[in-house]
Amino acid sequence: MHIHILGICGTFMGSLALLARDLGHKVTGSDTGIYPPMSTQLANAGVEIWEGYKAEHLQPAPDLVVVGNACKRGMEAIEYMLDARLPYTSGPQFLYETVLKDRHVLAVAGTHGKTTTTTMLSWIIQYAGIDTGFLIGGVPLVSTDDERLKSAFAHSSHLGDKYFVIEADEYDSAFFDKRSKFVHYRPSTAILNNLEYDHADIFADLNAIQTQFHHMIRMIPSNGQIIMPAGTDSLEQTLEKGVWTPVLRTSVDGQSDWQAKLHQDDGGAFEVRFGDEVGQVVWQMSGLHNVNNGLCAIAAAHHIGVEISTACEALSNFGGIKRRMELIGEVNDIQVYDDFAHHPTAITTTLDGAKKRLQGRTIWAVIEPRSNTMKLGSHKASLAPSAAIADHVLWYEPKDLAWGLTDAIGNATNQQVLDSTDAIIEHLVTHAKAGDAIIIMSNGGFEGIHTRLVEALQR
């Protein structure tokens, strides 16, 4: 079957394209703003991609059009698809019908940490010798001599066998299906990592997001499992709407069903305890948020029979994921990191972990407010406080921002706003010194600032 994917370079749709190819289908796609790492993965997999959303991309007609949620009425390809009455579906629906419906689905939901936790959980289960399928909204960093693991994690998705781990996004499915993606997945094991207000372009308030979370909760079987951090009011309120599945709660240095006890302040080493079972993790990750991500992943893997000792060993050998505090380069003892954080809470937790892990280094945060929620200004009051822990903060103000970033930053003495990536690079080349760490935060390509900066520092 020939499948054409509209919006193919998004992290979800790109991973879906690779699964469709592995199922034996011919896959092509269209998108705009094509950039790595997903574009590179697709090209390496032999998936043909065209720039833009043109009607000619659907000629001759494919057997099925899979429509990404970034596509809207008025786009040439969408109007042609509808006028020509081509068969079409959403990405989440396609995934359920072709892959998920006959498997035990382990879904990872939450405002933050979905990609990282999904990758950790997939890694743990594969490490335990179980060939689980997975779809990750990012690219795993796999450093191992194990050829089986290398093969499984060669791409951001893998078909696997009986189990499937899925990053369960609350964003809408398509222009014709405004339900959250995760409503389609029908998990048996669900991690609810956290829940805050986000996606202001489609959700009016937190309650609207809680409603979608509860739609998914209502479909988890009574012999399934829900795993979530203890003391999270927004999640507890969601469960009050009704829950029919056993719930296990996690905590870091607290009291709960699953517990992590820190051995290092930066989260680089911790003990895992569940009842009388105990394990130890010593890994490359940092930050309390990642400790809880790892703890939730261990608990979810345990639900399908992975022993704690094996799961802890797996995380101790976990290489991380691209664009999550990924070291891009080091020039004259100036380290440059790439990170996906784009929500105030994620910015804070990432910088806190970096401060503890990179002790002695001066921390620069370079932040692009790129998400739809950021652009609408829903979080503008939280921006300056979210980055306050950094020594220096450079905010990039894109031309399409609907509000004044300088006004939002106010009188924060460690923070300033620049209106071009060239200006940011020039500032860093002039002022960054040996022993500094520069963390670039964006959920997009950020005009390739990462490699441009490393190159500029080398001159």
Side-chain angles (χ1 to χ4, degrees):
M1 186 162 69
H2 176 200
I3 297 167
H4 189 84
I5 299 179
L6 297 175
I8 193 169
C9 286
T11 51
F12 172 78
M13 298 298 278
S15 298
L16 189 67
L18 295 172
L19 285 177
R21 184 216 56 177
D22 290 345
L23 286 166
H25 302 304
K26 174 186 176 182
V27 183
T28 57
S30 305
D31 211 327
T32 58
I34 297 169
Y35 57 84
M38 190 52 70
S39 61
T40 305
Q41 280 203 60
L42 292 170
N44 291 341
V47 176
E48 189 172 6
I49 306 170
W50 295 301
E51 177 73 31
Y53 295 106
K54 298 178 182 178
E56 64 193 59
H57 298 166
L58 300 175
Q59 300 166 349
D63 297 298
L64 180 67
V65 182
V66 181
V67 181
N69 62 4
C71 298
K72 298 176 174 58
R73 288 301 304 264
M75 288 181 171
E76 181 183 331
I78 294 295
E79 296 308 310
Y80 177 82
M81 177 189 79
L82 295 173
D83 290 345
R85 290 174 169 76
L86 301 181
Y88 65 91
T89 188
S90 71
Q93 185 65 28
F94 176 79
L95 180 64
Y96 176 75
E97 291 176 352
T98 59
V99 177
L100 301 185
K101 66 180 180 181
D102 297 321
R103 305 192 186 205
H104 180 121
V105 176
L106 299 95
V108 181
T111 309
H112 320 293
K114 290 186 293 292
T115 300
T116 302
T117 309
T118 304
T119 309
M120 290 177 183
L121 178 54
S122 303
W123 173 259
I124 289 169
I125 299 173
Q126 282 284 351
Y127 190 95
I130 301 170
D131 187 25
T132 184
F134 56 81
L135 191 155
I136 301 165
V139 182
L141 295 172
V142 178
S143 177
T144 177
D145 294 327
D146 188 319
E147 292 300 324
R148 185 185 67 82
L149 290 173
K150 275 198 226 180
S151 175
F153 288 94
H155 299 295
S156 54
S157 58
H158 178 71
L159 274 176
D161 191 13
K162 178 181 176 182
Y163 300 99
F164 200 93
V165 183
I166 177 72
E167 181 173 334
D169 190 359
E170 70 271 26
Y171 210 78
D172 60 357
S173 298
F175 74 86
F176 50 86
D177 182 355
K178 306 314 285 184
R179 294 174 296 170
S180 291
K181 289 178 185 175
F182 56 41
V183 172
H184 293 277
Y185 299 155
R186 306 186 187 183
S188 295
T189 308
I191 294 174
L192 310 180
N193 240 356
N194 41 64
L195 180 51
E196 293 187 57
Y197 182 58
D198 199 4
H199 306 308
D201 52 326
I202 60 171
F203 293 117
D205 51 31
L206 179 62
N207 184 64
I209 306 176
Q210 289 173 309
T211 298
Q212 292 294 322
F213 267 70
H214 195 251
H215 288 335
M216 181 181 69
I217 288 169
R218 282 187 291 197
M219 290 188 283
I220 303 172
S222 58
N223 63 354
Q225 185 73 74
I226 293 173
I227 298 151
M228 59 184 250
T232 307
D233 290 343
S234 55
L235 289 175
E236 297 294 350
Q237 291 163 6
T238 304
L239 294 186
E240 287 173 4
K241 298 174 184 287
V243 60
W244 301 266
T245 306
V247 180
L248 292 176
R249 292 166 176 80
T250 66
S251 66
V252 179
D253 286 341
Q255 297 299 314
S256 58
D257 302 299
W258 283 86
Q259 301 172 33
K261 301 294 183 184
L262 294 182
H263 290 170
Q264 293 179 10
D265 288 342
D266 68 351
F270 59 94
E271 176 186 279
V272 173
R273 184 176 293 275
F274 178 63
D276 295 330
E277 298 180 68
V278 180
Q280 307 288 335
V281 175
V282 181
W283 63 350
Q284 300 177 36
M285 306 295 285
S286 64
L288 299 185
H289 59 302
N290 276 323
V291 175
N292 193 71
N293 291 341
L295 183 60
C296 286
I298 291 171
H302 190 268
H303 183 235
I304 64 167
V306 178
E307 294 183 359
I308 289 178
S309 58
T310 302
C312 289
E313 181 181 320
L315 286 188
S316 295
N317 288 278
F318 178 64
I321 184 168
K322 286 186 75 66
R323 307 207 66 195
R324 273 58 176 187
M325 279 301 292
E326 179 188 2
L327 182 62
I328 298 298
E330 184 169 353
V331 181
N332 299 325
D333 199 27
I334 300 173
Q335 296 179 345
V336 179
Y337 292 87
D338 183 11
D339 194 84
F340 196 76
H342 60 279
H343 182 286
T345 300
I347 291 170
T348 298
T349 55
T350 298
L351 290 174
D352 178 69
K355 267 285 194 181
K356 291 172 179 173
R357 174 60 61 91
L358 304 174
Q359 289 184 15
R361 288 190 177 270
T362 296
I363 304 295
W364 292 78
V366 180
I367 309 173
E368 178 188 28
R370 181 181 176 274
S371 71
N372 289 327
T373 306
M374 282 284 203
K375 287 182 178 179
L376 289 169
S378 300
H379 294 312
K380 61 184 178 182
S382 304
L383 295 188
S386 74
I389 193 172
D391 298 290
H392 307 287
V393 184
L394 301 179
W395 292 91
Y396 169 64
E397 185 162 27
K399 293 179 176 58
D400 59 350
L401 203 63
W403 44 278
L405 185 53
T406 300
D407 292 338
I409 300 307
N411 59 0
T413 57
N414 66 329
Q415 306 186 32
Q416 65 184 101
V417 178
L418 297 173
D419 62 1
S420 74
T421 52
D422 286 339
I424 292 172
I425 291 171
E426 182 180 351
H427 186 95
L428 290 167
V429 169
T430 302
H431 297 285
K433 298 179 177 61
D436 290 0
I438 302 168
I439 304 171
I440 300 172
M441 297 179 164
S442 170
N443 68 339
F446 207 168
E447 300 179 8
I449 190 174
H450 317 80
T451 53
R452 288 167 55 205
L453 174 59
V454 172
E455 290 169 0
L457 289 170
Q458 289 172 337
R459 294 186 194 124

